[in-house]
Amino acid sequence: APAARLPELTPAERVEQKLIACGVPEEQLREDHQEGLLMYLEEHADKISEVTAAILSAGTEISEARKSSKKDKDSGSSSDSDAYSESLSWLQWMMFRNEPDAVLDDMEHSSAGERAVCGSVWGQNDLAYRCRTCENDSTCAICVPCFQNGNHEDHDYSIMYTGGGCCDCGDATAWKREGFCSRHKGAEQIKPLPEELASSVGPVLDELLLFWKERICLVEAPTRKADEGTPCKSVAEELTTSIADMLLRFCTSSESLLSFVSQRIRESPDLLDALTRAERLLDKEVLKNLHELLLKLITEPAFKYEFAKVFIQYYPGTFSQVIKGNNDNLLDEYRLIPTFSVQIFTVPTLTTRLVREHNLLGILLECLTVLFLSCVGEDAHLQTSKWGNLYDSSLRLLEDTRYVVSHEEVSKYVAYERPDLTRSWIKLLSLVQGMDPQKRVTSIHVEDENENLASPFMLGHYLGIIQNLLMKGAFSSPGQQESTDVTVCSTAIKGMESAENQRHAKVGRVSQENLVCSSSTRESSSSSELPAPATCLIRQCLKAIESWLEPGPRRRKLSSLDASSTDARNFLALLEDTLTINKGGSSKQIGDVGMKVNEGSQIDDAADYHEVVGSPAQESDDMMLIDQVGSPQAGNDAGKGKMNKSSNGLDVQLHSENAISVALTDGSLLYAHPDSRIDELGILNMTSWPRVVFDVGSQETSFHIPLHRMLSLLLRKAIKKCFGEDAKPEECSVVQSKEFFSQVLGGFKPYGFASIVMEHPLRVRVFCAQVRAGMWRKNGDAAILSAEWYRSVQWLEQGLESDLFLLQCCAALSSPEFFVKTIQERFGLSNYISLVLTEQNEYEPVLMQEMLVFLIQLVKERRFIGRSTADNLKRELIYKLAVGDATHSQIVKSLPRDLSSSDQLQSVLDSLAVYSNPSGMKQVLILEIV
Ligand SMILES: [Zn+2]
Ligand SMILES: [Zn+2]
Ligand SMILES: [Zn+2]
């Protein structure tokens, strides 16, 4: 039966009723209200928690009643003040033992003009200042008043629009002390709350915080009846809004109070945890308030650390939600991560501690691995179509990883103490390696959607930036530690044994790996200048490339199972073995699948192709052989190259009796010398030059070879370390360079290395040449756009330049005959060059031109070897300015990243160009005629 509507109690009456039930004398309340309660509590201090609970329960009743009356009819806008505002007002009376507003106003006035930290919170598109002279990193900024009250004369500052965040003035971890404004002197200036106030605020606040946590936890309690709606949710939401408002008021009134509140919150058991989880439970509007409060509180360093610890534990759960839905839009539901990751991960000391003590980097890499694994196909590589749905989420994680590894401390720690993290990184790259391959269309013209085309390139861009930062540590000297391998091993193992890390790494494996490192570097340690982690990394990278190509048992396992994600997990697990365990004689790298020793008539074919080179009749036999092994048709107009017989007989590497052919997982076919023992040692260990058969014009080619780019980066850094601008010229002898490569390659053989490693960068070059020649017209825009991306400035460093350098290294390790012949074959120009002009095609002249340009670049390009930074800058600037005038920012944008960030930029610019007078908004640079 519908209950007769009782005259509604006012919120104050409700609270008073509760208090009376608690034992507070009625007449005292009726006459003096809050002051009456204070008088009562003076004599009954032990009742504080009971009274607090009673006051809060009044708020809960109002909230629940409102909810159910709203359900009856949607007109319940009678009393729109927050359900808890009356309760909180009473509690504040208890805290301050006086009229709260008066106390807070008082505090605000007494501390006016002498705050230690600014902490103004920005909204979208608020104005702020950056100052390159004062900032700790590029994410720091201060508000307009702070800029105006500070002294930034002669500093390099700029104005910007923010996307949120808060002012860094007064925060010594973000901003130089000299750049603080006159009103903010730094967090250590904050005075503690007076003893008396602390003892009255503390107990009530603690009770309130406990209640808050309980109400949030109730929302996710599983006992909810489905049809009952979510009264718990709305109660928790109203409570959160009210408390956040109240505490924000506290925080803005007094820093002492802020610091006190932050301490109580971080010490309240599980509250921070509940507050982060609240994001999955409460409404967005409510969370906005909560986040604003948290942003204020993290200006307090101790709070920031405690919050950060909880915050990073929140990553895996959040991303697993997003990944499960395979939808980037889900990430919009979780504002906590984008709001706070910049605030936390950019602070050097804090981040380093989180990485060391709480495995922050491990958590981020694991999230990325899980994300990638959710998008891999049967081939254990990322599927662009599926991954495209998680593009933004991937970038979010990559951005965060970039913040974390940008601290040098972190990259050094990873290099010397956490080899498991670099292995995780390499495994991530292995999942990306070979993604989004393109195949030439020869029949019908297809107009495919290219919406995801750019994403893998952007991914490569980010991977490049991160690995540049991540690898830095491996090339730094170990600091105070002795730079011997023994020390490295022992610190690594020590690191593993510490309780924190034990969960994340397998001690046994790590020590094994370090044995590999130490034994292999010792061979050439006489003139060694490369730190052990660097050589170790190069070797791991090579092993990963090998594993990616070899049709080993792991691959077989992979394709024979169905659930792709567990397969890929297996793949990663097996890759872990390759990366950690030394390749002893017993460990099989290649199964018998995909590999076969030619027998019978095939033997002759395999052998013949070498001896009967140039005879057109032989070609069909050659192709037959390929067909028999089951590889895709590898011989159309552009791909039927042959290894020509060399006059000096150097390349008679394949003996007719028993040449080995191996089908690699990328579709290429490898003919190797029978003695090469590929099955035991792996393809990178072949002592003789194998012949690789692959046709870019008819087989799948991918632009995305991050493992190669990592290798290129490592070699570049290694060469810079040994022969860089600081190294003395007399050290750069040929002997030195031989030693260098033997140190870098460790157990790998030069021919095995060069012949295999050169393949994929070379194929990308051939791809671009074919696009220019018009061979890929029927593929629509995709091929053209890819080729354009490849040479764009943004991608140059991890694309074209990186690949060219790697090919130069391969050239240095090859015999010229083999190297050039392989290039000719890959370009499909063997016949053209040998002047066997029986079959011609329209593409050959352009391909020829492209190949010659390529060869010239291989010989002449000195961007990463032999040229100083200043030389490189000079060259780039002349090219840019010769085309026309440019503004300073246009110049900076057009330069490759390593050059645009060089400290020599300004001096080189000054030597080449003059500033013209600022006209309007622009400062124009003009190339001076020298
Ligand atoms: Zn400020
Ligand atoms: Zn300031
Ligand atoms: Zn400044």
Side-chain angles (χ1 to χ4, degrees):
R5 262 194 113 99
L6 294 167
E8 250 184 66
L9 289 173
T10 65
E13 283 164 347
R14 251 183 227 269
V15 171
E16 283 172 13
Q17 254 187 7
K18 293 278 173 191
L19 288 172
I20 292 162
C22 251
V24 184
E26 188 170 351
E27 57 277 23
Q28 210 165 318
L29 280 175
R30 294 263 182 266
E31 268 170 45
D32 301 316
H33 303 285
Q34 285 93 343
E35 278 164 22
L37 172 63
L38 292 183
M39 281 191 291
Y40 170 79
L41 285 175
E42 222 132 277
E43 282 149 44
H44 303 85
D46 57 313
K47 284 260 195 172
I48 283 182
S49 72
E50 193 187 326
V51 166
T52 310
I55 292 176
L56 285 166
S57 71
T60 312
E61 266 177 22
I62 297 172
S63 175
E64 277 170 352
R66 208 181 272 173
K67 179 82 187 170
S68 53
S69 76
K70 256 188 196 151
K71 229 186 209 170
D72 293 344
K73 42 183 179 165
D74 235 298
S75 63
S77 56
S78 52
S79 55
D80 244 345
S81 74
D82 296 326
Y84 282 99
S85 60
E86 180 69 22
S87 298
L88 291 186
S89 152
W90 282 79
L91 292 184
Q92 290 180 65
W93 271 89
M94 288 167 69
M95 290 183 204
F96 300 116
R97 296 203 177 125
N98 206 331
E99 210 285 299
D101 283 328
V103 176
L104 289 169
D105 284 344
D106 213 38
M107 282 179 152
E108 199 166 350
H109 283 120
S110 69
S111 67
E114 47 166 315
R115 293 175 62 89
V117 180
C118 174
S120 309
V121 174
W122 291 307
Q124 204 74 31
N125 288 331
D126 282 349
L127 280 182
Y129 278 92
R130 274 186 65 187
C131 176
R132 266 167 257 266
T133 319
C134 297
E135 73 192 9
N136 180 52
D137 65 75
S138 61
T139 64
C140 299
I142 55 173
C143 67
V144 176
C146 282
F147 182 82
Q148 285 163 347
N149 289 323
N151 178 12
H152 300 272
E153 230 180 283
D154 296 329
H155 286 191
D156 181 8
Y157 58 81
S158 57
I159 197 159
M160 62 178 272
Y161 291 104
T162 69
C166 60
C167 176
D168 285 314
C169 185
D171 180 356
T173 63
W175 205 257
K176 282 211 180 70
R177 230 162 254 287
E178 306 86 82
F180 292 174
C181 75
S182 56
R183 302 199 339 233
H184 303 127
K185 294 294 170 211
E188 59 279 8
Q189 302 288 318
I190 298 174
K191 293 187 204 86
L193 206 62
E195 189 70 29
E196 199 202 334
L197 200 51
S199 66
S200 70
V201 175
V204 181
L205 185 60
D206 287 346
E207 289 297 325
L208 175 62
L209 296 177
L210 197 67
F211 179 76
W212 190 15
K213 184 202 79 184
E214 280 164 1
R215 290 313 306 197
I216 291 175
C217 292
L218 270 181
V219 182
E220 52 182 352
T223 51
R224 222 113 307 288
K225 278 184 217 152
D227 62 337
E228 209 157 295
T230 47
C232 272
K233 184 172 176 239
S234 69
V235 170
E237 282 171 350
E238 290 203 62
L239 180 67
T240 302
T241 309
S242 301
I243 294 184
D245 282 346
M246 179 187 89
L247 293 180
L248 264 172
R249 173 83 212 279
F250 286 10
C251 292
T252 41
S253 302
S254 147
E255 284 178 321
S256 311
L257 198 50
L258 182 152
S259 144
F260 183 78
V261 167
S262 77
Q263 185 206 343
R264 290 299 169 127
I265 290 182
R266 74 184 144 89
E267 284 172 2
S268 180
D270 301 324
L271 175 60
L272 280 177
D273 194 43
L275 292 184
T276 48
R277 268 182 298 136
E279 178 163 64
R280 293 191 205 135
L281 309 170
L282 306 183
D283 190 69
K284 269 188 202 167
E285 275 307 305
V286 179
L287 293 170
K288 234 168 144 180
N289 276 19
L290 178 59
H291 291 173
E292 198 182 329
L293 172 66
L294 289 171
L295 271 177
K296 268 267 180 272
L297 291 171
I298 60 170
T299 52
E300 212 280 320
F303 182 86
K304 199 173 202 169
Y305 176 63
E306 290 302 318
F307 175 72
K309 283 202 301 198
V310 175
F311 175 70
I312 61 177
Q313 301 306 328
Y314 177 69
Y315 267 72
T318 302
F319 277 95
S320 79
Q321 292 293 319
V322 177
I323 292 164
K324 213 187 284 163
N326 190 242
N327 187 350
D328 267 336
N329 294 334
L330 289 170
L331 197 65
D332 294 340
E333 305 294 313
Y334 308 110
R335 299 305 303 160
L336 194 71
I337 285 179
T339 310
F340 288 91
S341 60
V342 189
Q343 303 291 333
I344 293 169
F345 300 154
T346 51
V347 183
T349 42
L350 175 62
T351 306
T352 310
R353 211 172 146 197
L354 290 170
V355 169
R356 280 179 179 273
E357 295 169 14
H358 301 281
N359 197 30
L360 168 57
L361 193 53
I363 290 174
L364 291 174
L365 293 181
E366 180 62 22
C367 286
L368 273 170
T369 308
V370 172
L371 191 155
F372 282 6
L373 282 175
S374 77
C375 305
V376 297
E378 278 177 13
D379 58 353
H381 298 124
L382 223 47
Q383 301 294 297
T384 320
S385 54
K386 206 168 175 208
W387 173 73
N389 298 330
L390 292 174
Y391 174 74
D392 292 336
S393 312
S394 310
L395 287 205
R396 179 76 258 152
L397 284 168
L398 289 166
E399 270 284 298
D400 290 345
T401 310
R402 182 172 68 89
Y403 291 140
V404 172
V405 297
S406 65
H407 307 297
E408 227 169 297
E409 231 352 81
V410 171
S411 78
K412 219 163 158 178
Y413 163 72
V414 171
Y416 280 91
E417 291 176 54
R418 291 294 297 278
D420 59 312
L421 291 179
T422 36
R423 280 202 300 280
S424 301
W425 179 253
I426 292 176
K427 284 191 265 181
L428 266 182
L429 298 188
S430 301
L431 294 175
V432 179
Q433 179 94 350
M435 83 179 284
D436 205 19
Q438 302 193 40
K439 196 170 177 189
R440 185 169 156 238
V441 176
T442 47
S443 47
I444 341 140
H445 175 85
V446 284
E447 203 58 71
D448 46 12
E449 340 85 79
N450 304 321
E451 51 171 341
N452 285 326
L453 188 70
S455 338
F457 283 92
M458 284 311 292
L459 177 61
H461 175 69
Y462 273 91
L463 293 176
I465 291 173
I466 292 170
Q467 94 190 342
N468 199 359
L469 295 164
L470 189 63
M471 305 305 150
K472 244 181 206 158
F475 289 86
S476 65
S477 47
Q480 293 100 328
Q481 303 147 347
E482 290 279 326
S483 125
T484 62
D485 304 320
V486 183
T487 335
V488 174
C489 287
S490 64
T491 41
I493 294 163
K494 223 185 289 158
M496 291 307 139
E497 279 166 353
S498 82
E500 279 291 338
N501 292 329
Q502 210 139 30
R503 287 172 290 132
H504 317 298
K506 302 179 188 79
V507 175
R509 284 194 174 160
V510 172
S511 52
Q512 240 168 337
E513 178 192 70
N514 279 282
L515 282 178
V516 179
C517 290
S518 51
S519 64
S520 43
T521 34
R522 205 162 287 144
E523 295 163 10
S524 54
S525 60
S526 56
S527 68
S528 141
E529 285 196 49
L530 278 188
T535 47
C536 216
L537 264 179
I538 293 173
R539 238 148 286 166
Q540 285 186 353
C541 191
L542 283 169
K543 281 179 186 169
I545 291 176
E546 197 169 64
S547 303
W548 170 62
L549 282 173
E550 282 182 346
R554 65 188 77 94
R555 293 302 179 147
R556 199 165 15 141
K557 223 175 193 170
L558 210 56
S559 51
S560 69
L561 291 171
D562 268 351
S564 57
S565 61
T566 46
D567 284 358
R569 271 281 177 205
N570 286 344
F571 166 62
L572 288 191
L574 285 152
L575 182 57
E576 174 84 23
D577 293 342
T578 353
L579 292 179
T580 45
I581 295 170
N582 195 5
K583 233 179 247 175
S586 60
S587 74
K588 280 255 177 206
Q589 288 300 309
I590 294 192
D592 29 21
V593 170
M595 182 181 125
K596 86 191 239 186
V597 175
N598 292 306
E599 298 166 49
S601 61
Q602 291 170 19
I603 293 173
D604 298 327
D605 292 340
D608 282 352
Y609 95 81
H610 229 280
E611 279 153 29
V612 204
V613 174
S615 137
Q618 186 56 35
E619 276 174 21
S620 55
D621 290 351
D622 214 344
M623 291 202 316
M624 206 172 76
L625 173 76
I626 294 161
D627 288 339
Q628 278 163 350
V629 187
S631 109
Q633 182 77 17
N636 72 353
D637 49 1
K640 52 185 168 240
K642 286 179 166 298
M643 199 76 94
N644 287 312
K645 191 171 198 169
S646 166
S647 50
N648 59 17
L650 244 177
D651 60 345
V652 186
Q653 300 280 332
L654 296 178
H655 297 294
S656 47
E657 297 82 54
N658 44 7
I660 296 171
S661 72
V662 183
L664 302 182
T665 49
D666 68 341
S668 49
L669 201 62
L670 185 138
Y671 295 96
H673 191 274
D675 294 342
S676 47
R677 294 197 296 161
I678 296 179
D679 51 339
E680 287 170 37
L681 302 170
I683 48 175
L684 291 177
N685 264 316
M686 289 176 289
T687 45
S688 56
W689 189 272
R691 182 185 180 222
V692 178
V693 178
F694 185 87
D695 175 31
V696 179
S698 66
Q699 288 180 269
E700 289 194 330
T701 306
S702 169
F703 275 81
H704 309 292
I705 44 175
L707 287 171
H708 286 77
R709 276 140 202 170
M710 176 178 167
L711 181 62
S712 175
L713 175 77
L714 289 167
L715 292 173
R716 248 179 292 162
K717 281 184 185 287
I719 284 186
K720 205 171 171 197
K721 181 100 184 159
C722 295
F723 308 100
E725 282 164 56
D726 308 327
K728 296 171 200 101
E730 64 264 27
E731 278 176 7
C732 310
S733 64
V734 180
V735 182
Q736 276 278 329
S737 77
K738 281 222 173 94
E739 255 175 50
F740 169 78
F741 273 116
S742 79
Q743 185 193 354
V744 161
L745 293 185
F748 295 109
K749 297 287 180 292
Y751 277 9
F753 171 92
S755 62
I756 300 301
V757 169
M758 74 180 283
E759 271 299 319
H760 297 88
L762 173 60
R763 286 173 198 174
V764 173
R765 275 306 281 248
V766 173
F767 183 105
C768 294
Q770 291 184 351
V771 168
R772 248 214 84 201
M775 286 172 67
W776 288 70
R777 272 192 209 115
K778 287 183 175 159
N779 285 61
D781 292 338
I784 298 163
L785 289 173
S786 298
E788 283 303 314
W789 260 100
Y790 184 65
R791 16 181 301 153
S792 67
V793 180
Q794 195 182 11
W795 222 64
L796 199 61
E797 205 182 334
Q798 49 263 31
L800 195 132
E801 283 184 341
S802 159
D803 292 351
L804 188 64
F805 175 77
L806 193 57
L807 283 160
Q808 287 175 326
C809 290
C810 292
L813 290 164
S814 315
S815 94
E817 282 86 357
F818 295 155
F819 188 75
V820 173
K821 247 168 239 162
T822 306
I823 291 175
Q824 290 171 356
E825 276 197 32
R826 216 53 75 236
F827 270 85
L829 291 170
S830 301
N831 285 349
Y832 189 81
I833 284 162
S834 62
L835 302 178
V836 182
L837 298 177
T838 46
E839 318 163 39
Q840 292 175 352
N841 69 53
E842 52 189 308
Y843 309 123
E844 278 165 345
V846 180
L847 289 176
M848 187 66 199
Q849 191 189 347
E850 288 286 312
M851 186 177 80
L852 291 175
V853 169
F854 173 53
L855 288 173
I856 293 167
Q857 283 181 351
L858 277 172
V859 177
K860 294 286 288 180
E861 179 59 51
R862 287 286 174 263
R863 166 93 158 86
F864 292 117
I865 180 160
R867 282 179 87 111
S868 66
T869 309
D871 286 345
N872 283 323
L873 267 171
K874 210 173 267 179
R875 183 175 70 161
E876 295 290 337
L877 289 173
I878 288 173
Y879 285 161
K880 176 71 192 168
L881 288 170
V883 178
D885 297 348
T887 64
H888 191 276
S889 61
Q890 284 168 341
I891 294 266
V892 171
K893 261 183 215 153
S894 73
L895 290 172
R897 195 161 29 91
D898 64 321
L899 295 180
S900 64
S901 60
S902 163
D903 48 10
Q904 299 178 50
L905 174 61
Q906 198 51 53
S907 62
V908 175
L909 254 184
D910 290 342
S911 75
L912 284 172
V914 286
Y915 278 99
S916 76
N917 284 328
S919 62
M921 293 292 283
K922 283 181 179 172
Q923 278 189 314
V924 182
L925 278 165
I926 298 172
L927 182 64
E928 198 173 61
I929 302 136
V930 195

